[in-house]
Amino acid sequence: MAAEREPPPLGDGKPTDFEDLEDGEDLFTSTVSTLESSPSSPEPASLPAEDISANSNGPKPTEVVLDDDREDLFAATEEVSLDSPEREPILSSEPSPAVTPVTPTTLIAPRIESKSMSAPVIFDRSREEIEEEANGDIFDIEIGVSDPEKVGDGMNAYMAYRVTTKTSLSMFSKSEFSVKRRFSDFLGLHSKLASKYLHVGYIVPPAPEKSIVGMTKVKVGKEDSSSTEFVEKRRAALERYLQRTVKHPTLLQDPDLRQFLESSELPRAVNTQALSGAGILRMVNKAADAVNKMTIKMNESDAWFEEKQQQFENLDQQLRKLHVSVEALVCHRKELSANTAAFAKSAAMLGNSEDHTALSRALSQLAEVEEKIDQLHQEQAFADFYMFSELLSDYIRLIAAVKGVFDHRMKCWQKWEDAQITLLKKREAEAKMMVANKPDKIQQAKNEIREEIEEWEAKVQQGERDFEQISKTIRKEVGRFEKERVKDFKTVIIKYLESLVQTQQQLIKYWEAFLPEAKAIA
Amino acid sequence: MMEGLDDGPDFLSEEDRGLKAINVDLQSDAALQVDISDALSERDKVKFTVHTKSSLPNFKQNEFSVVRQHEEFIWLHDSFVENEDYAGYIIPPAPPRPDFDASREKLQKLGEGEGSMTKEEFTKMKQELEAEYLAIFKKTVAMHEVFLCRVAAHPILRRDLNFHVFLEYNQDLSVRGKNKKEKLEDFFKNMVKSADGVIVSGVKDVDDFFEHERTFLLEYHNRVKDASAKSDRMTRSHKSAADDYNRIGSSLYALGTQDSTDICKFFLKVSELFDKTRKIEARVSADEDLKLSDLLKYYLRESQAAKDLLYRRSRSLVDYENANKALDKARAKNKDVLQAETSQQLCCQKFEKISESAKQELIDFKTRRVAAFRKNLVELAELELKHAKRGWAQWLMPLIPALEVRSSRPQANMGNLQLLQNCLAVLNGDT
């Protein structure tokens, strides 16, 4: 859905004025080209203080779009009908772009995690209000994935999940709605978002992984516990995926996402199939990327990036290790549960054969207690898994996405470098030509060279801008990611500890019930 | 009762002597008191110091000690078994061989893998394994001791000469372990015995008591065997889960020390939590092992000994009946009648003697069993409760100040999960 566009004619020299800027902002949400109505896209360089995140719907990072800090503008544009992804003329319906949201400097306070778009807002809201809203975690959209149903039969069967959205954000037409989606739809959404945002430095949450074995079992219709577990695992993963995606303020604005959540029919994302043409292309690209990564030697001028990359490497390793341990715990707890159940049965038998009545009764009670404890263990194992282990694997994949973003930055730098080199070559060629002092018929060639040089100069500037842009974006994204990470981990771990507490409480109850029985053995 | 959750090994402090408690009737009797005061573990042997206090005239002194090894215990046991006079008694089951192989292997592997883990991990694992080793050691000491105590408490067996020699003779008894030939002989003997047992058990017993006991014991023995095995498996998985907590704690610790954000403090605290949890869980599994698994294992052996008694009785019954038949035949043929008569009388006497003592023994067995189960089950429940309640609170106490409790609600009865909940509240607010 990326709207392809010509790069704005750079160097137009039109000074950036706020009006245009605002127009650009307006366009942001309707994924419309800035260029249609404004002749120039404000250059980021001229708004030095501004934290502009390039959030384009296409591979053109020059789209100057204000980031989420300028909520009031967004609010204004929320009313745009988003169903038409085509370009739309500027929302001139908006009240005067005299929504000069103050001067850029005041707006800069990077509200990286502002996610509140709670109400259709009036423009002249005071700065404080906006800040407050952004500050509090009023994140007014809730997504649930539920009711997995098997649709169809045989190898063409698939599981359909109900995606329910509850929101008071005005960008959606209703406040509560649900649609049916299948797994490949989720993958399709992810690939669309990734193609739009990854290369400009946004950390797009990765979608859950495919599993051929699991799905086949489900398709074949095996109604055993492992396939129900598989479906449940997948459902939970999809829910977490969507929740993460909508938490991202930029991605939330994306029309693809909205279409995914809202529209009842979605074109089948065939490209996500592993064996499709697109799939193979993806694999080839991945391989090429890996090779490139090894060959690109980047001059890292910014220590921050190096530091962060190192950090993420370490974090990745640690998380993997932790993940392994937690998986072992899950496994052992399941084992414990099974063994406890076996013991319970055995104790019951023993109780039966014991001829001393009180002891026999006590043993049977013991058997019952152990059976209940076995249930407890099972539940605890589920908790272990769904809370802890899945969190870790999610983050391991997220970190892979983060690393990918860093790689994109490298590629961007590479492009810039290449442009610079080419420009140099062209300049040299021109210089040579000048010196040669040939007759006029070469004039054309000279003109050509001149043009090429201009072109490459522009490309160099573009490259530089892109690079700076992506660097800025990454910084912000990483900051946001870290905050999210901290919150996520804290929440989940606390929830997990609570589950441990509950287990202990139950244990206490059971043993307290058993104790008098044991004491009653005469 | 139990000390605070210090590092592991002490968890067998009081409860370990509890194996003695499995046989509740072992009241210390001034006439003869036996215990194992010390034990030394050498390369592949364990040397027990058997300490005796006695007022019996048979002994030269009133108090003395000797050093014994496992084989000597076995020798003593076998001498009881082979003694015809004791056929009517339940011979206390022999203690199992001390088995440190698994533990030693693990320690070895740990030593080899030292390079691949961090120092903290290594020390932790080493502590863990050492605690395990110590636990096994204590257990084997306890089991040998129980054997001796049972013999000492038995009115007849305690007078056995071999037993006195065992207790007093401070030279090496020169009891070598059975060599291959003897082991093979034993094997065959056992096979014959079990075949015989099958034959003999086919004979219906006149006496209801014994008939009932026989069926009961058979079934009981099998079920105890099953329960014992399953209980073992259960405690083992419990222990592996506890070990996992250990590793998780280490990883969290590593995460905490390496992380740059303010979540690192959080991680460190949670890692502490996992460490403490592991200690609790390890203790729980150790207690379960002790109270449940060991109990079942012991009664497995005892029920086998009881079965053996019944077998011997049935054997003598069969002999008696055969002697009767032989006597009848002899009388019919009028040949060797005297011989047949004497042998018949002997068999009769033997049978009756055995029957009489066997009855008492079996009744005692039941009493002992019920009492032991009661004691252990009660203790098991109490320990589980203690761990779930106070154990959690004990490590929570030092943790809470570290978490800077904001809402200091004075709680009277802090020995509860309330504390853990407080902790969670603090963790929650600690953003």
Side-chain angles (χ1 to χ4, degrees), chain A residues 335-336 338-347 349 370, chain B residues 222-237 288 292-293 296:
Chain A
E335 232 178 69
L336 177 58
N339 287 342
T340 311
F343 174 70
K345 286 206 197 86
S346 182
M349 298 264 288
E370 293 287 347
Chain B
N222 286 337
R223 294 202 176 161
V224 163
K225 203 194 275 185
D226 188 51
S228 165
K230 302 249 164 75
S231 166
D232 235 357
R233 270 210 288 272
M234 180 173 81
T235 34
R236 265 206 295 269
S237 345
E288 271 180 12
L292 209 48
S293 305
L296 292 170

PDB file of all heavy atoms in Angstrom, chain A residues 335-336 338-347 349 370, chain B residues 222-237 288 292-293 296:
ATOM      1  N   GLU A 335       6.511 -32.260  34.586  1.00  0.00           N
ATOM      2  CA  GLU A 335       6.906 -33.586  35.065  1.00  0.00           C
ATOM      3  C   GLU A 335       6.444 -33.793  36.486  1.00  0.00           C
ATOM      4  O   GLU A 335       5.869 -34.832  36.836  1.00  0.00           O
ATOM      5  CB  GLU A 335       8.436 -33.640  35.064  1.00  0.00           C
ATOM      6  CG  GLU A 335       9.047 -34.819  34.357  1.00  0.00           C
ATOM      7  CD  GLU A 335      10.548 -34.713  34.402  1.00  0.00           C
ATOM      8  OE1 GLU A 335      11.096 -34.852  35.499  1.00  0.00           O
ATOM      9  OE2 GLU A 335      11.120 -34.454  33.339  1.00  0.00           O
ATOM     10  N   LEU A 336       6.699 -32.780  37.320  1.00  0.00           N
ATOM     11  CA  LEU A 336       6.313 -32.859  38.722  1.00  0.00           C
ATOM     12  C   LEU A 336       4.827 -33.107  38.839  1.00  0.00           C
ATOM     13  O   LEU A 336       4.367 -33.932  39.637  1.00  0.00           O
ATOM     14  CB  LEU A 336       6.699 -31.568  39.435  1.00  0.00           C
ATOM     15  CG  LEU A 336       6.289 -31.463  40.908  1.00  0.00           C
ATOM     16  CD1 LEU A 336       6.888 -32.601  41.696  1.00  0.00           C
ATOM     17  CD2 LEU A 336       6.734 -30.141  41.473  1.00  0.00           C
ATOM     18  N   ALA A 338       2.871 -34.530  36.657  1.00  0.00           N
ATOM     19  CA  ALA A 338       2.544 -35.898  36.259  1.00  0.00           C
ATOM     20  C   ALA A 338       2.914 -36.879  37.352  1.00  0.00           C
ATOM     21  O   ALA A 338       2.133 -37.779  37.695  1.00  0.00           O
ATOM     22  CB  ALA A 338       3.276 -36.241  34.967  1.00  0.00           C
ATOM     23  N   ASN A 339       4.089 -36.700  37.922  1.00  0.00           N
ATOM     24  CA  ASN A 339       4.523 -37.625  38.962  1.00  0.00           C
ATOM     25  C   ASN A 339       3.659 -37.541  40.196  1.00  0.00           C
ATOM     26  O   ASN A 339       3.381 -38.547  40.846  1.00  0.00           O
ATOM     27  CB  ASN A 339       5.988 -37.334  39.332  1.00  0.00           C
ATOM     28  CG  ASN A 339       6.934 -37.802  38.252  1.00  0.00           C
ATOM     29  OD1 ASN A 339       6.544 -38.611  37.426  1.00  0.00           O
ATOM     30  ND2 ASN A 339       8.145 -37.287  38.238  1.00  0.00           N
ATOM     31  N   THR A 340       3.243 -36.319  40.513  1.00  0.00           N
ATOM     32  CA  THR A 340       2.380 -36.169  41.678  1.00  0.00           C
ATOM     33  C   THR A 340       1.063 -36.891  41.447  1.00  0.00           C
ATOM     34  O   THR A 340       0.540 -37.547  42.353  1.00  0.00           O
ATOM     35  CB  THR A 340       2.112 -34.683  41.962  1.00  0.00           C
ATOM     36  OG1 THR A 340       3.351 -33.985  41.956  1.00  0.00           O
ATOM     37  CG2 THR A 340       1.454 -34.501  43.305  1.00  0.00           C
ATOM     38  N   ALA A 341       0.544 -36.782  40.241  1.00  0.00           N
ATOM     39  CA  ALA A 341      -0.710 -37.477  39.938  1.00  0.00           C
ATOM     40  C   ALA A 341      -0.529 -38.978  40.093  1.00  0.00           C
ATOM     41  O   ALA A 341      -1.364 -39.662  40.698  1.00  0.00           O
ATOM     42  CB  ALA A 341      -1.162 -37.134  38.525  1.00  0.00           C
ATOM     43  N   ALA A 342       0.593 -39.496  39.583  1.00  0.00           N
ATOM     44  CA  ALA A 342       0.852 -40.932  39.692  1.00  0.00           C
ATOM     45  C   ALA A 342       0.955 -41.344  41.148  1.00  0.00           C
ATOM     46  O   ALA A 342       0.401 -42.363  41.563  1.00  0.00           O
ATOM     47  CB  ALA A 342       2.142 -41.279  38.947  1.00  0.00           C
ATOM     48  N   PHE A 343       1.657 -40.508  41.915  1.00  0.00           N
ATOM     49  CA  PHE A 343       1.796 -40.849  43.322  1.00  0.00           C
ATOM     50  C   PHE A 343       0.453 -40.829  44.022  1.00  0.00           C
ATOM     51  O   PHE A 343       0.168 -41.669  44.881  1.00  0.00           O
ATOM     52  CB  PHE A 343       2.752 -39.881  44.013  1.00  0.00           C
ATOM     53  CG  PHE A 343       2.826 -40.096  45.484  1.00  0.00           C
ATOM     54  CD1 PHE A 343       3.432 -41.217  46.000  1.00  0.00           C
ATOM     55  CD2 PHE A 343       2.252 -39.193  46.363  1.00  0.00           C
ATOM     56  CE1 PHE A 343       3.483 -41.443  47.361  1.00  0.00           C
ATOM     57  CE2 PHE A 343       2.290 -39.408  47.728  1.00  0.00           C
ATOM     58  CZ  PHE A 343       2.915 -40.537  48.229  1.00  0.00           C
ATOM     59  N   ALA A 344      -0.368 -39.870  43.661  1.00  0.00           N
ATOM     60  CA  ALA A 344      -1.678 -39.774  44.299  1.00  0.00           C
ATOM     61  C   ALA A 344      -2.445 -41.076  44.091  1.00  0.00           C
ATOM     62  O   ALA A 344      -3.041 -41.628  45.026  1.00  0.00           O
ATOM     63  CB  ALA A 344      -2.443 -38.594  43.731  1.00  0.00           C
ATOM     64  N   LYS A 345      -2.405 -41.558  42.863  1.00  0.00           N
ATOM     65  CA  LYS A 345      -3.134 -42.798  42.590  1.00  0.00           C
ATOM     66  C   LYS A 345      -2.569 -43.938  43.426  1.00  0.00           C
ATOM     67  O   LYS A 345      -3.303 -44.724  44.038  1.00  0.00           O
ATOM     68  CB  LYS A 345      -3.014 -43.165  41.103  1.00  0.00           C
ATOM     69  CG  LYS A 345      -3.846 -42.313  40.208  1.00  0.00           C
ATOM     70  CD  LYS A 345      -4.212 -43.069  38.919  1.00  0.00           C
ATOM     71  CE  LYS A 345      -4.683 -42.090  37.857  1.00  0.00           C
ATOM     72  NZ  LYS A 345      -3.582 -41.520  37.072  1.00  0.00           N
ATOM     73  N   SER A 346      -1.244 -43.976  43.445  1.00  0.00           N
ATOM     74  CA  SER A 346      -0.593 -45.055  44.166  1.00  0.00           C
ATOM     75  C   SER A 346      -0.928 -44.994  45.653  1.00  0.00           C
ATOM     76  O   SER A 346      -1.186 -46.015  46.293  1.00  0.00           O
ATOM     77  CB  SER A 346       0.914 -44.937  43.936  1.00  0.00           C
ATOM     78  OG  SER A 346       1.580 -45.978  44.561  1.00  0.00           O
ATOM     79  N   ALA A 347      -0.933 -43.789  46.193  1.00  0.00           N
ATOM     80  CA  ALA A 347      -1.249 -43.642  47.608  1.00  0.00           C
ATOM     81  C   ALA A 347      -2.682 -44.071  47.876  1.00  0.00           C
ATOM     82  O   ALA A 347      -2.981 -44.670  48.912  1.00  0.00           O
ATOM     83  CB  ALA A 347      -1.030 -42.199  48.032  1.00  0.00           C
ATOM     84  N   MET A 349      -4.291 -46.365  46.297  1.00  0.00           N
ATOM     85  CA  MET A 349      -4.290 -47.831  46.302  1.00  0.00           C
ATOM     86  C   MET A 349      -3.763 -48.355  47.629  1.00  0.00           C
ATOM     87  O   MET A 349      -4.298 -49.305  48.210  1.00  0.00           O
ATOM     88  CB  MET A 349      -3.387 -48.335  45.181  1.00  0.00           C
ATOM     89  CG  MET A 349      -3.831 -47.937  43.830  1.00  0.00           C
ATOM     90  SD  MET A 349      -4.794 -49.243  43.083  1.00  0.00           S
ATOM     91  CE  MET A 349      -3.510 -50.418  42.736  1.00  0.00           C
ATOM     92  N   GLU A 370      -2.643 -34.781  47.321  1.00  0.00           N
ATOM     93  CA  GLU A 370      -1.617 -34.799  46.285  1.00  0.00           C
ATOM     94  C   GLU A 370      -2.233 -34.561  44.916  1.00  0.00           C
ATOM     95  O   GLU A 370      -1.640 -33.896  44.061  1.00  0.00           O
ATOM     96  CB  GLU A 370      -0.865 -36.131  46.309  1.00  0.00           C
ATOM     97  CG  GLU A 370      -0.023 -36.338  47.560  1.00  0.00           C
ATOM     98  CD  GLU A 370       1.230 -35.472  47.585  1.00  0.00           C
ATOM     99  OE1 GLU A 370       1.591 -34.897  46.540  1.00  0.00           O
ATOM    100  OE2 GLU A 370       1.832 -35.343  48.657  1.00  0.00           O
TER     101      GLU A 370
ATOM    102  N   ASN B 222       3.194 -54.947  47.538  1.00  0.00           N
ATOM    103  CA  ASN B 222       3.253 -54.472  46.152  1.00  0.00           C
ATOM    104  C   ASN B 222       2.911 -53.003  46.049  1.00  0.00           C
ATOM    105  O   ASN B 222       3.548 -52.243  45.322  1.00  0.00           O
ATOM    106  CB  ASN B 222       2.292 -55.290  45.285  1.00  0.00           C
ATOM    107  CG  ASN B 222       2.845 -56.677  45.040  1.00  0.00           C
ATOM    108  OD1 ASN B 222       4.046 -56.887  45.133  1.00  0.00           O
ATOM    109  ND2 ASN B 222       1.966 -57.617  44.767  1.00  0.00           N
ATOM    110  N   ARG B 223       1.880 -52.632  46.815  1.00  0.00           N
ATOM    111  CA  ARG B 223       1.461 -51.249  46.675  1.00  0.00           C
ATOM    112  C   ARG B 223       2.455 -50.289  47.293  1.00  0.00           C
ATOM    113  O   ARG B 223       2.653 -49.184  46.789  1.00  0.00           O
ATOM    114  CB  ARG B 223       0.082 -51.078  47.300  1.00  0.00           C
ATOM    115  CG  ARG B 223      -0.912 -51.870  46.512  1.00  0.00           C
ATOM    116  CD  ARG B 223      -2.279 -51.415  46.668  1.00  0.00           C
ATOM    117  NE  ARG B 223      -3.162 -52.185  45.789  1.00  0.00           N
ATOM    118  CZ  ARG B 223      -4.462 -52.249  45.964  1.00  0.00           C
ATOM    119  NH1 ARG B 223      -5.023 -51.647  46.975  1.00  0.00           N
ATOM    120  NH2 ARG B 223      -5.180 -52.948  45.107  1.00  0.00           N
ATOM    121  N   VAL B 224       3.055 -50.732  48.377  1.00  0.00           N
ATOM    122  CA  VAL B 224       4.079 -49.866  48.961  1.00  0.00           C
ATOM    123  C   VAL B 224       5.226 -49.699  47.986  1.00  0.00           C
ATOM    124  O   VAL B 224       5.797 -48.613  47.844  1.00  0.00           O
ATOM    125  CB  VAL B 224       4.598 -50.432  50.300  1.00  0.00           C
ATOM    126  CG1 VAL B 224       5.904 -49.792  50.674  1.00  0.00           C
ATOM    127  CG2 VAL B 224       3.590 -50.211  51.383  1.00  0.00           C
ATOM    128  N   LYS B 225       5.532 -50.763  47.303  1.00  0.00           N
ATOM    129  CA  LYS B 225       6.626 -50.693  46.329  1.00  0.00           C
ATOM    130  C   LYS B 225       6.289 -49.636  45.289  1.00  0.00           C
ATOM    131  O   LYS B 225       7.096 -48.762  44.979  1.00  0.00           O
ATOM    132  CB  LYS B 225       6.788 -52.048  45.641  1.00  0.00           C
ATOM    133  CG  LYS B 225       8.189 -52.239  45.073  1.00  0.00           C
ATOM    134  CD  LYS B 225       8.306 -53.382  44.124  1.00  0.00           C
ATOM    135  CE  LYS B 225       8.555 -54.683  44.825  1.00  0.00           C
ATOM    136  NZ  LYS B 225       8.789 -55.775  43.852  1.00  0.00           N
ATOM    137  N   ASP B 226       5.071 -49.710  44.794  1.00  0.00           N
ATOM    138  CA  ASP B 226       4.651 -48.769  43.770  1.00  0.00           C
ATOM    139  C   ASP B 226       4.677 -47.338  44.301  1.00  0.00           C
ATOM    140  O   ASP B 226       5.249 -46.435  43.691  1.00  0.00           O
ATOM    141  CB  ASP B 226       3.228 -49.146  43.331  1.00  0.00           C
ATOM    142  CG  ASP B 226       2.794 -48.357  42.149  1.00  0.00           C
ATOM    143  OD1 ASP B 226       3.547 -48.321  41.162  1.00  0.00           O
ATOM    144  OD2 ASP B 226       1.705 -47.768  42.188  1.00  0.00           O
ATOM    145  N   ALA B 227       4.089 -47.175  45.485  1.00  0.00           N
ATOM    146  CA  ALA B 227       4.020 -45.830  46.058  1.00  0.00           C
ATOM    147  C   ALA B 227       5.415 -45.285  46.308  1.00  0.00           C
ATOM    148  O   ALA B 227       5.697 -44.108  46.075  1.00  0.00           O
ATOM    149  CB  ALA B 227       3.220 -45.854  47.347  1.00  0.00           C
ATOM    150  N   SER B 228       6.282 -46.150  46.783  1.00  0.00           N
ATOM    151  CA  SER B 228       7.640 -45.711  47.071  1.00  0.00           C
ATOM    152  C   SER B 228       8.328 -45.219  45.804  1.00  0.00           C
ATOM    153  O   SER B 228       8.971 -44.167  45.785  1.00  0.00           O
ATOM    154  CB  SER B 228       8.418 -46.861  47.714  1.00  0.00           C
ATOM    155  OG  SER B 228       9.777 -46.593  47.696  1.00  0.00           O
ATOM    156  N   ALA B 229       8.175 -45.992  44.723  1.00  0.00           N
ATOM    157  CA  ALA B 229       8.819 -45.581  43.479  1.00  0.00           C
ATOM    158  C   ALA B 229       8.262 -44.250  42.997  1.00  0.00           C
ATOM    159  O   ALA B 229       9.000 -43.342  42.607  1.00  0.00           O
ATOM    160  CB  ALA B 229       8.617 -46.655  42.410  1.00  0.00           C
ATOM    161  N   LYS B 230       6.924 -44.117  43.043  1.00  0.00           N
ATOM    162  CA  LYS B 230       6.322 -42.891  42.526  1.00  0.00           C
ATOM    163  C   LYS B 230       6.703 -41.708  43.411  1.00  0.00           C
ATOM    164  O   LYS B 230       6.960 -40.606  42.932  1.00  0.00           O
ATOM    165  CB  LYS B 230       4.797 -43.030  42.479  1.00  0.00           C
ATOM    166  CG  LYS B 230       4.340 -44.200  41.633  1.00  0.00           C
ATOM    167  CD  LYS B 230       3.644 -43.744  40.372  1.00  0.00           C
ATOM    168  CE  LYS B 230       3.531 -44.856  39.369  1.00  0.00           C
ATOM    169  NZ  LYS B 230       2.507 -45.854  39.698  1.00  0.00           N
ATOM    170  N   SER B 231       6.721 -41.953  44.709  1.00  0.00           N
ATOM    171  CA  SER B 231       7.082 -40.865  45.604  1.00  0.00           C
ATOM    172  C   SER B 231       8.505 -40.395  45.331  1.00  0.00           C
ATOM    173  O   SER B 231       8.802 -39.203  45.310  1.00  0.00           O
ATOM    174  CB  SER B 231       6.935 -41.340  47.043  1.00  0.00           C
ATOM    175  OG  SER B 231       7.561 -40.455  47.898  1.00  0.00           O
ATOM    176  N   ASP B 232       9.359 -41.360  45.079  1.00  0.00           N
ATOM    177  CA  ASP B 232      10.733 -41.034  44.723  1.00  0.00           C
ATOM    178  C   ASP B 232      10.794 -40.120  43.513  1.00  0.00           C
ATOM    179  O   ASP B 232      11.459 -39.100  43.496  1.00  0.00           O
ATOM    180  CB  ASP B 232      11.470 -42.327  44.390  1.00  0.00           C
ATOM    181  CG  ASP B 232      12.706 -42.477  45.208  1.00  0.00           C
ATOM    182  OD1 ASP B 232      13.012 -41.558  45.992  1.00  0.00           O
ATOM    183  OD2 ASP B 232      13.375 -43.490  45.056  1.00  0.00           O
ATOM    184  N   ARG B 233      10.072 -40.532  42.481  1.00  0.00           N
ATOM    185  CA  ARG B 233      10.074 -39.745  41.244  1.00  0.00           C
ATOM    186  C   ARG B 233       9.550 -38.347  41.514  1.00  0.00           C
ATOM    187  O   ARG B 233      10.071 -37.351  41.012  1.00  0.00           O
ATOM    188  CB  ARG B 233       9.210 -40.415  40.181  1.00  0.00           C
ATOM    189  CG  ARG B 233       9.974 -41.390  39.326  1.00  0.00           C
ATOM    190  CD  ARG B 233       9.383 -41.454  37.944  1.00  0.00           C
ATOM    191  NE  ARG B 233       8.102 -42.134  37.935  1.00  0.00           N
ATOM    192  CZ  ARG B 233       7.979 -43.441  37.788  1.00  0.00           C
ATOM    193  NH1 ARG B 233       9.040 -44.197  37.624  1.00  0.00           N
ATOM    194  NH2 ARG B 233       6.789 -43.996  37.811  1.00  0.00           N
ATOM    195  N   MET B 234       8.521 -38.289  42.322  1.00  0.00           N
ATOM    196  CA  MET B 234       7.916 -36.983  42.599  1.00  0.00           C
ATOM    197  C   MET B 234       8.905 -36.069  43.298  1.00  0.00           C
ATOM    198  O   MET B 234       9.076 -34.911  42.916  1.00  0.00           O
ATOM    199  CB  MET B 234       6.669 -37.184  43.463  1.00  0.00           C
ATOM    200  CG  MET B 234       5.976 -35.893  43.798  1.00  0.00           C
ATOM    201  SD  MET B 234       4.422 -36.171  44.641  1.00  0.00           S
ATOM    202  CE  MET B 234       4.998 -36.460  46.283  1.00  0.00           C
ATOM    203  N   THR B 235       9.566 -36.610  44.339  1.00  0.00           N
ATOM    204  CA  THR B 235      10.513 -35.751  45.038  1.00  0.00           C
ATOM    205  C   THR B 235      11.666 -35.364  44.128  1.00  0.00           C
ATOM    206  O   THR B 235      12.206 -34.266  44.216  1.00  0.00           O
ATOM    207  CB  THR B 235      11.074 -36.423  46.299  1.00  0.00           C
ATOM    208  OG1 THR B 235      11.176 -37.808  46.071  1.00  0.00           O
ATOM    209  CG2 THR B 235      10.182 -36.186  47.475  1.00  0.00           C
ATOM    210  N   ARG B 236      12.030 -36.252  43.227  1.00  0.00           N
ATOM    211  CA  ARG B 236      13.118 -35.901  42.325  1.00  0.00           C
ATOM    212  C   ARG B 236      12.727 -34.757  41.398  1.00  0.00           C
ATOM    213  O   ARG B 236      13.501 -33.819  41.178  1.00  0.00           O
ATOM    214  CB  ARG B 236      13.566 -37.102  41.509  1.00  0.00           C
ATOM    215  CG  ARG B 236      14.752 -37.827  42.115  1.00  0.00           C
ATOM    216  CD  ARG B 236      15.535 -38.545  41.077  1.00  0.00           C
ATOM    217  NE  ARG B 236      14.740 -39.605  40.472  1.00  0.00           N
ATOM    218  CZ  ARG B 236      14.721 -40.848  40.931  1.00  0.00           C
ATOM    219  NH1 ARG B 236      15.444 -41.183  41.946  1.00  0.00           N
ATOM    220  NH2 ARG B 236      13.954 -41.759  40.345  1.00  0.00           N
ATOM    221  N   SER B 237      11.509 -34.833  40.823  1.00  0.00           N
ATOM    222  CA  SER B 237      11.125 -33.720  39.938  1.00  0.00           C
ATOM    223  C   SER B 237      11.013 -32.436  40.732  1.00  0.00           C
ATOM    224  O   SER B 237      11.336 -31.362  40.224  1.00  0.00           O
ATOM    225  CB  SER B 237       9.803 -33.906  39.220  1.00  0.00           C
ATOM    226  OG  SER B 237       9.357 -35.183  39.259  1.00  0.00           O
ATOM    227  N   GLU B 288       9.904 -33.860  51.910  1.00  0.00           N
ATOM    228  CA  GLU B 288       9.019 -34.874  51.325  1.00  0.00           C
ATOM    229  C   GLU B 288       9.765 -36.176  51.189  1.00  0.00           C
ATOM    230  O   GLU B 288       9.251 -37.248  51.485  1.00  0.00           O
ATOM    231  CB  GLU B 288       8.566 -34.420  49.935  1.00  0.00           C
ATOM    232  CG  GLU B 288       7.324 -33.602  49.954  1.00  0.00           C
ATOM    233  CD  GLU B 288       6.916 -33.163  48.558  1.00  0.00           C
ATOM    234  OE1 GLU B 288       7.472 -33.693  47.577  1.00  0.00           O
ATOM    235  OE2 GLU B 288       6.054 -32.286  48.479  1.00  0.00           O
ATOM    236  N   LEU B 292       8.138 -38.882  53.412  1.00  0.00           N
ATOM    237  CA  LEU B 292       7.271 -39.734  52.613  1.00  0.00           C
ATOM    238  C   LEU B 292       8.047 -40.863  51.956  1.00  0.00           C
ATOM    239  O   LEU B 292       7.817 -42.031  52.220  1.00  0.00           O
ATOM    240  CB  LEU B 292       6.599 -38.857  51.554  1.00  0.00           C
ATOM    241  CG  LEU B 292       5.238 -39.288  51.077  1.00  0.00           C
ATOM    242  CD1 LEU B 292       4.340 -39.611  52.243  1.00  0.00           C
ATOM    243  CD2 LEU B 292       4.623 -38.198  50.238  1.00  0.00           C
ATOM    244  N   SER B 293       8.995 -40.475  51.119  1.00  0.00           N
ATOM    245  CA  SER B 293       9.702 -41.505  50.351  1.00  0.00           C
ATOM    246  C   SER B 293      10.448 -42.475  51.249  1.00  0.00           C
ATOM    247  O   SER B 293      10.366 -43.696  51.070  1.00  0.00           O
ATOM    248  CB  SER B 293      10.693 -40.869  49.384  1.00  0.00           C
ATOM    249  OG  SER B 293      10.046 -39.952  48.569  1.00  0.00           O
ATOM    250  N   LEU B 296       8.110 -44.791  53.056  1.00  0.00           N
ATOM    251  CA  LEU B 296       7.607 -45.853  52.199  1.00  0.00           C
ATOM    252  C   LEU B 296       8.690 -46.875  51.903  1.00  0.00           C
ATOM    253  O   LEU B 296       8.441 -48.083  51.896  1.00  0.00           O
ATOM    254  CB  LEU B 296       7.063 -45.251  50.901  1.00  0.00           C
ATOM    255  CG  LEU B 296       5.800 -44.418  51.107  1.00  0.00           C
ATOM    256  CD1 LEU B 296       5.466 -43.655  49.840  1.00  0.00           C
ATOM    257  CD2 LEU B 296       4.638 -45.313  51.478  1.00  0.00           C
TER     258      LEU B 296
END
